[in-house]
Amino acid sequence: MPNADPEPPAKSEDDKDRHLHIRLADDHGSIFDFITEYLHAAGKTADWYWRTAGRLEGNEAENLEELLSSAFEAGAFIAHEHPEDLAYSWVTEEECEAERKREERGERSEAARKDRSDQTHYA
C-alpha cells in the first residue's frame, strides 16, 4: 500500500532490492492538471508542451530534452506545492513488472483510463 505521507519513506535494510515509486495519492487526480499548473507557474506554454508531447516521433532531441526537463521540473513542483497528493512505495522489480503488466492489460482504475483519454483536450 502506498505511503500517503508528504515525504518519501526512508529506505530500510529490507528495501535494499527495491526502488521508489511515486504516484498520485488519489486515483481521480490528474497528473496532466498538475503538469499544466506547473507550466503556467513557470511561465511556460502549456499548449506547446502538450502538442509537442502528442506529436513526438523519432529522434527529436531538442524537443525531447525540453519535454523531459519540464517533466522533471513539474515533478519537483508537485512534490513541493502538492505533497499531500503524492503516494510513495518501495517496490521490487517483480512488483514493478506486475504493476506494468496490469496497466498494459487495462486493469488500472477507470479514472486513470478516463484521464488518459481526456489528455486530448490539452493538445
Side-chain angles (χ1 to χ4, degrees), residues 66-110:
E66 177 63 25
L67 289 172
L68 292 174
S69 175
S70 292
F72 183 81
E73 292 167 359
F77 172 84
I78 294 166
H80 184 264
E81 297 296 322
H82 300 281
E84 69 284 356
D85 291 316
L86 299 177
Y88 304 91
S89 59
W90 288 100
V91 297
T92 63
E93 287 298 325
E94 293 79 20
E95 292 167 333
C96 184
E97 183 66 16
E99 182 178 326
R100 185 187 61 74
K101 286 182 179 180
R102 278 192 307 276
E103 288 176 359
E104 285 177 355
R105 289 191 307 260
E107 295 177 16
R108 287 276 295 178
S109 70
E110 187 63 33

Side-chain angles (χ1 to χ4, degrees), residues 33-44 69-71 73-74 77:
D33 289 342
F34 286 123
I35 292 174
T36 299
E37 179 183 340
Y38 155 73
L39 292 167
H40 287 292
K44 296 186 178 192
S69 175
S70 292
E73 292 167 359
F77 172 84

Side-chain angles (χ1 to χ4, degrees), residues 10-73:
K11 191 172 187 179
S12 71
E13 183 62 31
D14 295 337
D15 293 331
K16 69 179 180 175
D17 294 326
R18 295 175 178 264
H19 60 273
L20 186 63
H21 275 201
I22 303 172
R23 304 266 190 243
L24 292 180
D26 180 3
D27 284 340
H28 300 290
S30 171
I31 191 69
F32 302 106
D33 289 342
F34 286 123
I35 292 174
T36 299
E37 179 183 340
Y38 155 73
L39 292 167
H40 287 292
K44 296 186 178 192
T45 307
D47 289 346
W48 173 88
Y49 184 88
W50 293 117
R51 280 194 309 273
T52 302
R55 287 192 318 256
L56 195 60
E57 293 179 9
N59 186 15
E60 297 181 39
E62 183 179 311
N63 287 339
L64 181 59
E65 184 175 341
E66 177 63 25
L67 289 172
L68 292 174
S69 175
S70 292
F72 183 81
E73 292 167 359

